[in-house]
Amino acid sequence: MKKTIAKILIFVVMFSVFTGQNLFATEIAKDKTTLKGVAYRVTCSYKKELTRDLTVTPANDGRTVRLQLYSNKTQRYRTIKVYKTEKGNTATVKITFPKEYRRRRTGTWRIVVDGDKNATKAVKNVTVTTTNIVTKKLNSGSACIWCIEDEQLIYGKFSRKRRKQASTTKIMTATLLLESGEYGGTTKVSRNAAWTEYGYLNMTPGDVYTYKSLMYALMLPSSNDAATAIAEGIGGSVSGFAKKMNAKAKELGLKDTHYVTPHGLDAKNHYSSAYDVSLTMGYIYSTSMEFRTVIATRKYSFKTKRDKERKTVYTTDMLKDYSPNHKGGKTGYTSHAGSCFSGVYEYNGKTYVVTVLGAKSANLRWDDMKKLYQYIDKYADTKY
């Protein structure tokens, strides 16, 4: 009998060692921690200080309170500030959501009070929305301001919503052409390219164009026949070129973009977002001086290589005279996409890509672009 009891005692001791549980201890019930005073959703202008009084019960010997912000990049919460309550049954601590950490549009925060020997752990999730100054005044369905140097979203209105992007598609077409190694060469125009809808160049099948001339026709008057000729020359076919476009989109981290055509005419499963268009424009503007030269050009003349036809193309960018800070851009329009534009704007040593998609008219598109450029002038320094 004594041996049996001894064996049981040894088992209990070994179980306690390996599991960390004391089978002889009586568990003491802990008080439930409650957090009051901070709503689950908070909306505040960037200009205003955002503070809330958090009431913690019980406070006991003083509780540690951590304010944390969720990062989409790391997919983890990061502690921004740490507070300590006073002792007592109930204590109130002033929580401040710092300006420099408040996200554009919305940010996901949480308040964490760790458990102690007498009380349970408590967590409160808080969604903080920073009210924008311009959002309600924009006509465009989506908009985005992206700072190239800071790699930061400065402003967004449904910036990641998937929608038709029209001829802003041609920014990617230009990117692949410039990176193909064929920019100094020529290509023969196929019948398919010459007959592309809304072609500006009135191409003759069999004529030969330089890729440089096609680039200017692509980006200035937004010539769809030029886009098809480039796609067939660089990708072997439109579908082959689309595969290259999608591969480049994946490389750039474009999560809301899929290409079917090189020109942006409405097609099933052909879409992007204001954010992704901005990233694409920011990428090629940063890496290609030739691209900068092209979008800054108002007028370009050339001759075809076989038939010696003289062509002159003109920009559709109506912001050329708006401000010297505007460095050029790419227009777009279809009946389903609405009026679109992605432009580059320099201010105070920084470069911003501004994109609007889905405006109801060309004039409203330009109005929105001017508002967003003015927005940069007023608020970019604060990174609001």
Side-chain angles (χ1 to χ4, degrees):
M1 181 68 176
K2 290 181 179 180
K3 290 183 179 180
T4 302
I5 294 173
K7 288 181 179 180
I8 293 173
L9 289 174
I10 292 172
F11 171 78
V12 170
V13 171
M14 295 301 293
F15 182 83
S16 298
V17 170
F18 284 106
T19 65
Q21 299 181 37
N22 187 350
L23 296 184
F24 296 108
T26 301
E27 181 147 353
I28 301 173
K30 292 185 178 183
D31 294 328
K32 181 179 180 181
T33 300
T34 61
L35 308 178
K36 295 182 178 180
V38 181
Y40 290 104
R41 293 185 177 275
V42 179
T43 300
C44 183
S45 168
Y46 181 83
K47 290 184 176 181
K48 295 181 180 179
E49 184 181 32
L50 179 52
T51 61
R52 292 292 186 271
D53 291 332
L54 177 73
T55 301
V56 181
T57 305
N60 295 331
D61 294 328
R63 307 284 296 276
T64 298
V65 179
R66 289 177 289 143
L67 177 65
Q68 299 181 329
L69 176 63
Y70 184 77
S71 169
N72 290 322
K73 186 175 182 180
T74 64
Q75 296 186 337
R76 293 181 178 179
Y77 279 95
R78 168 189 173 193
T79 298
I80 303 300
K81 299 192 76 172
V82 179
Y83 303 88
K84 188 78 173 181
T85 72
E86 294 182 355
K87 298 179 181 180
N89 180 56
T90 298
T92 300
V93 60
K94 189 177 290 293
I95 301 291
T96 299
F97 296 81
K99 277 187 181 181
E100 61 268 29
Y101 292 102
R102 278 155 56 188
R103 296 286 188 260
R104 170 140 315 282
R105 299 294 289 165
T106 60
T108 301
W109 299 73
R110 72 179 182 185
I111 298 169
V112 180
V113 179
D114 291 329
D116 61 17
K117 62 182 180 180
N118 297 312
T120 60
K121 178 181 179 179
V123 178
K124 186 161 193 174
N125 296 316
V126 183
T127 298
V128 177
T129 299
T130 300
T131 54
N132 284 309
I133 295 171
V134 184
T135 300
K136 295 180 181 179
K137 297 179 182 179
L138 290 182
N139 172 268
S140 300
S142 298
C144 174
I145 301 176
W146 171 258
C147 180
I148 294 177
E149 291 80 6
D150 294 340
E151 296 185 348
Q152 183 175 6
L153 182 69
I154 302 299
Y155 171 91
K157 175 187 177 183
F158 301 115
S159 62
R160 289 181 169 86
K161 181 178 180 179
R162 295 179 179 183
R163 60 192 312 135
K164 301 294 184 184
Q165 73 272 45
S167 286
T168 59
T169 297
K170 295 183 174 83
I171 300 168
M172 179 59 84
T173 302
T175 297
L176 293 184
L177 172 56
L178 289 167
E179 294 186 344
S180 68
E182 301 293 331
Y183 189 65
T186 61
T187 188
K188 182 184 289 188
V189 175
S190 71
R191 183 169 297 180
N192 181 49
W195 290 356
T196 303
E197 289 184 285
Y198 306 105
Y200 182 90
L201 294 174
N202 295 317
M203 290 176 161
T204 301
D207 203 352
V208 177
Y209 283 71
T210 65
Y211 280 119
K212 182 176 182 178
S213 64
L214 290 175
M215 169 68 82
Y216 278 88
L218 179 82
M219 297 303 292
L220 271 60
S222 199
S223 185
N224 291 334
D225 45 8
T228 302
I230 291 169
E232 292 179 340
I234 301 301
S237 65
V238 168
S239 60
F241 190 75
K243 290 181 180 179
K244 291 179 177 291
M245 297 172 81
N246 289 315
K248 189 66 179 182
K250 184 177 181 179
E251 178 187 324
L252 295 180
L254 309 185
K255 297 181 179 180
D256 297 302
T257 297
H258 186 266
Y259 297 106
V260 175
T261 75
H263 38 61
L265 289 174
D266 292 330
K268 186 178 180 180
N269 292 326
H270 186 88
Y271 57 81
S272 189
S273 66
Y275 182 78
D276 282 2
V277 171
S278 293
L279 290 185
T280 309
M281 175 66 90
Y283 167 76
I284 192 59
Y285 189 84
S286 301
T287 57
S288 174
M289 289 302 298
E290 180 65 19
F291 183 81
R292 296 188 186 191
T293 299
V294 172
I295 65 172
T297 302
R298 295 170 181 264
K299 172 184 174 182
Y300 184 77
S301 296
F302 62 92
K303 284 185 179 180
T304 64
K305 303 300 287 184
R306 190 195 72 174
D307 295 349
K308 305 300 180 183
E309 286 191 60
R310 186 163 188 82
K311 310 276 186 177
T312 300
V313 293
Y314 301 88
T315 185
T316 53
D317 178 359
M318 296 292 103
L319 294 176
K320 283 284 191 285
D321 296 317
Y322 172 70
S323 168
N325 293 342
H326 172 67
K327 301 304 176 183
K330 183 70 199 75
T331 55
Y333 171 79
T334 70
S335 58
H336 288 93
S339 291
C340 309
F341 190 75
S342 184
V344 179
Y345 191 80
E346 293 184 357
Y347 172 78
N348 202 18
K350 296 290 181 69
T351 311
Y352 301 89
V353 179
V354 179
T355 300
V356 296
L357 302 179
K360 293 180 181 178
S361 72
N363 287 337
L364 290 172
R365 166 183 62 192
W366 302 128
D367 287 345
D368 284 351
M369 287 297 300
K370 291 174 183 177
K371 288 175 184 176
L372 293 173
Y373 282 171
Q374 291 164 10
Y375 183 92
I376 293 172
D377 293 339
K378 291 180 180 180
Y379 303 108
D381 288 338
T382 67
K383 295 183 180 179
Y384 167 33

